[in-house]
Amino acid sequence: MPLPTGVYRADQVGSLLRPKEILAAREKVADGTLTTSDLRQLEDKYISEVVRKQLQAGLRSITDGEFRRAFFHLDFLQHLDGVEVQGSLLSTNKSKGGWMPPRLVVTGKLGHSKPIQVDDFKFLEREIAAAGGEASFGKVTPKVAIPSPTMVHFRGGRDTIDLDAYPSLDDFFDDLARVYQEELQDLYDAGCRFVQLDDTNLAYLCDPKMRSEAESRHGSDGKQLARQYANLINKAIEKRPSDMTVGIHLCRGNHRSQWFAQGGYEPVAEVLFKDLNVDVYFLEYDDARSGDFSPLRHLPENKVVVLGVMTSKKGDLDDKDAMVQRLTEASKYCKRGLDQLCVSHQCGFSSTMEGNELSEDQQWEKIRLEVEIAKKVWGDDISR
């Protein structure tokens, strides 16, 4: 059975370490000494370079490295009508230096008055073509990663959703699904055929402490919340054309090489694999925090998992033989064995603009190793 469109044996979650020049330019925009137009021109320059680097490293799922974002989720969600960033989250899971992630607030009716990712996608597509694309490297797919719609609800819940705009949360979830439907259609019309939804929340429900906090915050048990989120995601993607692939990436936190949650996938496994109507799963499996591979027994025969057994959090190279062994071990739980698996790092290298604690040289060395591992397991054609 062939892989879904846009999925490759050596795949990636999407974000890459930001060049120092982009980080410096962002500071100048913040203090008013550089325009956003100047920043975008600089981003264009470095995205052109990073597209070529990905192709030369052997990747075929090509992103813009999320160079235009400070956060994997906020830079998308704040462009929805009715969504604002206000203050910071209150949480027991503080990051390094006491840093807390910004807080999303729904201040009015949700809307999608203009496309959010279309211009970025078109630029990425043009740069892939300019770099040689399929003519030089074989099958290649421009990949768009956007936050899962659950990111608007999980961390704040009822307290961060305007009561006048949404006295009923049923209406809120309906509108949230609709704006995603509209963005996916805009992307499809622009030529996009692969979209990845980045979701921390289903993975956070695997952590006993975070699950308990979520149950208190939302007034429902973890199983009910997982089903509610599966329904939301399914509705958000239900109108996608049949030739658009949608994947979901589950993450337990990835800020400056720090993680926030732990626990195997078992608490959400049946909902994740049986109820969620996505085509492919990008799953974090780089260390013991993610549990064992037994939840993969629920994976339907027609779906694929990109197994994040490698780590983007450390500069040290993963052991090639150990990674092959882990893929082989995971395949024992899959109905079609290794044919249902691909390999990647557990997350991107820079979920926020600060990036993980490794160098760019180390990042590319790790990516090249990933391609080597994929070819050792599945052969030279990593698009099979």
Side-chain angles (χ1 to χ4, degrees):
M1 185 178 293
L3 292 172
T5 298
V7 181
Y8 298 88
R9 295 300 182 186
D11 218 301
Q12 65 163 325
V13 171
S15 66
L16 297 164
L17 292 174
R18 311 294 197 270
K20 292 178 181 177
E21 290 82 358
I22 287 182
L23 296 177
R26 283 186 173 275
E27 291 183 5
K28 291 180 180 179
V29 170
D31 64 24
T33 59
L34 191 74
T35 68
T36 55
S37 177
D38 290 334
L39 173 61
R40 190 167 183 90
Q41 288 181 26
L42 189 65
E43 290 166 347
D44 287 351
K45 171 190 171 184
Y46 281 104
I47 289 169
S48 298
E49 292 182 8
V50 87
V51 164
R52 287 167 171 77
K53 287 180 178 179
Q54 289 172 84
L55 290 167
Q56 290 164 1
L59 291 176
R60 298 295 173 260
S61 173
I62 306 300
T63 74
D64 61 9
E66 300 183 15
F67 283 4
R68 304 194 196 277
R69 301 185 193 180
F71 296 86
F72 80 93
H73 61 312
L74 298 181
D75 297 81
F76 176 90
L77 295 173
Q78 65 187 351
H79 287 290
L80 294 173
D81 304 337
V83 176
E84 295 180 9
V85 177
Q86 295 181 4
S88 299
L89 287 168
L90 296 176
S91 172
T92 56
N93 294 286
K94 292 183 180 180
S95 190
K96 294 179 178 178
W99 177 87
M100 296 297 295
R103 176 173 172 262
L104 280 174
V105 177
V106 177
T107 59
K109 284 287 189 180
L110 295 174
H112 181 260
S113 55
K114 60 182 180 181
I116 300 173
Q117 287 294 137
V118 165
D119 286 345
D120 295 348
F121 166 77
K122 288 181 176 179
F123 182 82
L124 174 63
E125 188 176 43
R126 287 196 300 270
E127 292 308 304
I128 291 173
E134 294 195 7
S136 301
F137 297 97
K139 198 171 181 182
V140 175
T141 301
K143 172 177 175 174
V144 174
I146 62 176
S148 166
T150 69
M151 302 298 297
V152 185
H153 178 259
F154 180 81
R155 295 183 177 183
R158 175 75 268 184
D159 290 345
T160 55
I161 300 170
D162 183 76
L163 194 59
D164 292 331
Y166 291 108
S168 166
L169 281 182
D170 289 342
D171 294 336
F172 162 75
F173 284 119
D174 286 345
D175 281 355
L176 184 54
R178 174 181 53 79
V179 298
Y180 267 77
Q181 291 170 2
E182 292 169 2
E183 177 70 10
L184 290 178
Q185 187 61 52
D186 285 337
L187 281 166
Y188 182 84
D189 291 342
C192 177
R193 294 297 180 268
F194 186 96
V195 173
Q196 172 185 295
L197 302 176
D198 290 323
D199 191 297
T200 63
N201 306 317
L202 287 168
Y204 281 9
L205 288 174
C206 298
D207 183 302
K209 184 171 179 289
M210 286 192 171
R211 187 184 186 95
S212 177
E213 291 175 350
E215 289 173 339
S216 297
R217 185 165 63 247
H218 298 292
S220 60
D221 66 40
K223 288 184 179 180
Q224 180 182 348
L225 198 57
R227 286 193 294 269
Q228 184 178 37
Y229 284 162
N231 290 336
L232 169 64
I233 293 168
N234 286 344
K235 189 165 186 180
I237 67 176
E238 69 181 4
K239 294 185 178 181
R240 74 188 189 278
S242 60
D243 59 339
M244 174 181 262
T245 300
V246 174
I248 189 166
H249 167 236
L250 268 61
C251 174
R252 293 169 176 79
N254 187 48
H255 174 68
R256 295 176 59 192
S257 294
Q258 184 176 353
W259 54 268
F260 298 100
Q262 54 190 325
Y265 293 99
E266 197 61 46
V268 300
E270 291 199 63
V271 169
L272 181 67
F273 293 126
K274 296 181 179 179
D275 296 346
L276 202 55
N277 297 328
V278 296
D279 305 296
V280 56
Y281 304 89
F282 292 74
L283 298 184
E284 183 181 54
Y285 260 116
D286 61 325
D287 60 27
R289 289 180 303 110
S290 302
D292 62 26
F293 295 122
S294 62
L296 295 176
R297 70 189 185 279
H298 297 293
L299 181 69
E301 192 171 357
N302 64 331
K303 295 191 178 184
V304 172
V305 169
V306 179
L307 210 64
V309 290
M310 302 178 72
T311 184
S312 68
K313 286 182 162 63
K314 302 174 185 177
D316 297 338
L317 280 177
D318 299 275
D319 182 275
K320 182 190 290 190
D321 291 337
M323 296 301 100
V324 172
Q325 184 176 351
R326 295 209 73 207
L327 288 163
T328 302
E329 180 186 347
S331 72
K332 296 173 183 177
Y333 294 95
C334 302
K335 296 174 178 63
R336 292 191 288 114
L338 282 167
D339 194 43
Q340 282 185 274
L341 297 178
C342 305
V343 66
S344 74
H345 295 85
Q346 96 292 344
C347 195
F349 290 87
S350 192
S351 298
T352 65
M353 65 181 180
E354 295 87 355
N356 286 344
E357 296 181 353
L358 72 166
S359 69
E360 286 192 48
D361 286 344
Q362 288 174 318
Q363 169 187 264
W364 292 113
E365 195 174 6
K366 291 171 79 69
I367 289 171
R368 288 191 291 271
L369 176 62
E370 174 194 334
V371 175
E372 290 176 17
I373 290 169
K375 289 181 177 180
K376 182 172 182 178
V377 174
W378 291 283
D380 284 339
D381 184 2
I382 60 172
S383 64
R384 289 186 298 110

